[in-house]
Structures are given as C-alpha cells and as structure tokens.
Amino acid sequence: MTLPRLAEKRRMREPIVMVTAYDYPSAQVAQEAGVDVVLVGDSGAMTVLGHPSTIPVTVEEMLMLAAATRRGLRTPLLVADLPFGSYEASDELAIATAQRFVKEAGCDAVKLERGGASARRARAIVDAGIPVMGHVGLTPQTATALGGYRAQGRTAEQALSVAREALELERAGCFSIVLEAVPAAVGSEITARSSVPVIGIGAGPDTDGQVLVFHDLLGIHDGHVARFAKRFADVRAHMVAGVAEYTAEVRGRSFPAPEHCYSIDEAELETFRALIG
Ligand code: KIV
C-alpha cells in the first residue's frame, strides 16, 4: 500500500481498512487478512504491556513492537504511534523520534495526536521527509484533559474544535487523519470537508475507512471495551480453554504422548547408560 493508492481509495470511495498490530504473529494475521494499513498503536501500552493507559509506553518499547510488526508484513502500509512525550517539546525532538521509527523499525509513517503544537510538529516531520498521520477527537494521550475516555464533539463548539484540529493537521501535510469517538453525523461532516482520507474509530460509517484495535476486535483481552469496538471473535476464550486443557493433561500425565516424543536406537541408549554410569 502506498500513499497515492490510499488517496485513490478515498477518491474511488473504496473503504480503507486499518487495524493495529504489535508483534510478528499479529502482523502476519493482518497481512493474510488483506488489510490496507497496520498501526503499531500506543494502545499496545494497554493491550500487550498491561498499563492502564497509553501514557507510560516508551520509544524503546514502541520501537521493539514496531520492528517485530515490520517482520510480519509485506504489503500493508506500516504506521507507528509516536508515544506521549516523544514529540511534543520541539520540532527537533519530533523529527529525531520519527526518524528512529523509520530507520530502526522500518515504518512507512508515524502518527501523532491533536492539532495546535502537534500540527507544527507534524509539519516539521513531513518537511523532514516522513509521512505523518494525524489523530483527533478522543486522543488517548491527553484523555485526562478531555475529561476521560469519552466521546468528543457532542456540542457544536466541541465538534467545531475537532474539525479545526483535523484541518490544521491536514494543512500541516498529514496524509490521513484518524478520527476517534465522535458522533456519526460529525464524522460524516468532517470527512466530507477533508481532502485526505479520514479513518474512523467510533466516528460512524461515513469516514473513508475504519480502524480497530486488534485485541478488541478479536476479543483477546478481558478489560473494558469501548462501545465502538465490535467483537468479531472471542479468541481469549479459546486461548484460556487451550491452556487449561494443556494444564489438565500435564497434571493427568496424558501429555506428552508417544507421538510427541523422540526415539533413540536401543544400542545407543545402552551405550549412553553405560557411559553415564
Ligand atoms: O493506539 C491506537 O491503537 C490508536 C487507534 C485507536 C487509532 O491510536
């Protein structure tokens, strides 16, 4: 997937499919399923590292997740989140962090949250030759300032502020915008006014594409799941059942069975016994 092809998909009204992945096997699943864009989201702080929010994840941790994801992908565009604290302070910091994701993890693009100062950082990164995806609406890195993990843009004034941030990021050169947790009608209006692909998550059916968190859509974790995160599978139940069966078989001495064991020639075994004493 390329940036021109993504833009073409928007023009042709072909829905863009994006999913998060955090490691080699989840990337391989995304690859085989034929998605267009894979995001190494800082949601990985919660889904794979067990933190209560996206805030604690470090650049080093995100780089490790992104590099593993890269190894499982061939065709989708690979985007990684710049984690909280890794780009806000200056253009220089933003460029240096973004370069690490391209150089050390093989990412095609990076994503950052909000307009305002972030839009200026987005411009600096784009000017340094790295494609940037923006993220507006519910922006988890600043969820506290937004009043928690709740839908945004539910008043005219709030909706206008989300639309303005999207426009700022677009003007800063972002090739696409993630729009999270806004009323469907607001998602529709913002998408209609955007000139780059808008990828929605809890932003209704009229955005140019959809993104979901891998662990939410597959039912891999048992924590709170947002209203917009449809579960397409219950993988966690299968995982627990599998490990529970393994546990029972080990305790019942029915695993390993002969077909799981290696054999040795009887003469070799006799010699070994003699040698070992
Ligand atoms: O971190 C993440 O997974 C994200 C998606 C929710 C878009 O930013």
Side-chain angles (χ1 to χ4, degrees):
M1 180 56 59
T2 60
L3 302 189
R5 177 75 187 110
L6 267 194
E8 186 189 333
K9 271 179 150 303
R10 172 187 153 86
R11 269 196 313 280
M12 305 298 287
R13 300 194 171 284
E14 287 173 29
I16 296 165
V17 183
M18 175 160 130
V19 69
T20 68
Y22 313 98
D23 56 16
Y24 181 69
S26 57
Q28 282 187 313
V29 169
Q31 171 70 49
E32 252 184 74
V35 308
D36 301 307
V37 184
V38 168
L39 170 69
V40 182
D42 57 0
S43 52
M46 297 184 279
T47 55
V48 299
L49 300 179
H51 291 296
S53 76
T54 61
I55 303 302
V57 72
T58 65
V59 170
E60 300 302 328
E61 287 167 335
M62 286 294 294
L63 282 171
M64 194 193 69
L65 301 180
T69 303
R70 168 82 284 161
R71 291 190 279 272
L73 293 181
R74 286 190 319 280
T75 46
L77 193 79
L78 177 60
V79 184
D81 263 326
L82 297 183
F84 177 75
S86 74
Y87 63 93
E88 300 90 333
S90 69
D91 287 354
E92 291 71 23
L93 177 66
I95 293 170
T97 308
Q99 284 170 336
R100 290 194 69 189
F101 279 89
V102 173
K103 206 167 170 159
E104 297 174 35
C107 292
D108 299 307
V110 295
K111 175 164 86 58
L112 51 68
E113 296 186 1
R114 302 179 93 190
S118 289
R120 294 195 289 281
R121 304 300 169 242
R123 162 56 67 195
I125 299 169
V126 170
D127 285 347
I130 298 173
V132 179
M133 178 178 265
H135 183 157
V136 298
L138 172 55
T139 45
Q141 293 179 1
T142 42
T144 310
L146 296 175
Y149 289 87
R150 58 201 315 187
Q152 301 295 303
R154 299 185 92 169
T155 65
E157 199 181 323
Q158 272 185 9
L160 191 61
S161 151
V162 175
R164 282 189 176 136
E165 289 202 338
L167 187 64
E168 273 184 273
L169 287 165
E170 190 185 316
R171 287 190 176 141
C174 289
F175 69 92
S176 172
I177 308 286
V178 165
L179 180 57
E180 178 165 355
V182 297
V186 172
S188 181
E189 298 294 337
I190 292 178
T191 304
R193 283 161 184 76
S194 173
S195 58
V196 297
V198 174
I199 315 277
I201 173 163
D206 295 334
T207 53
D208 300 306
Q210 299 291 330
V211 54
L212 278 181
V213 167
F214 190 85
H215 289 52
D216 289 346
L217 86 90
L218 290 179
I220 295 179
H221 70 93
D222 68 345
H224 169 75
V225 176
R227 173 195 176 95
F228 53 70
K230 178 173 175 183
R231 285 217 151 161
F232 290 85
D234 189 1
V235 169
R236 187 172 188 276
H238 289 285
M239 290 164 83
V240 172
V243 177
E245 200 176 327
Y246 161 69
T247 303
E249 289 199 10
V250 171
R251 292 195 177 133
R253 298 189 183 282
S254 59
F255 175 83
E259 66 269 28
H260 306 118
C261 300
Y262 297 105
S263 61
I264 181 171
D265 185 81
E266 197 55 41
E268 292 296 333
L269 186 58
E270 279 313 311
T271 311
F272 169 62
R273 283 180 177 143
L275 287 172
I276 202 169

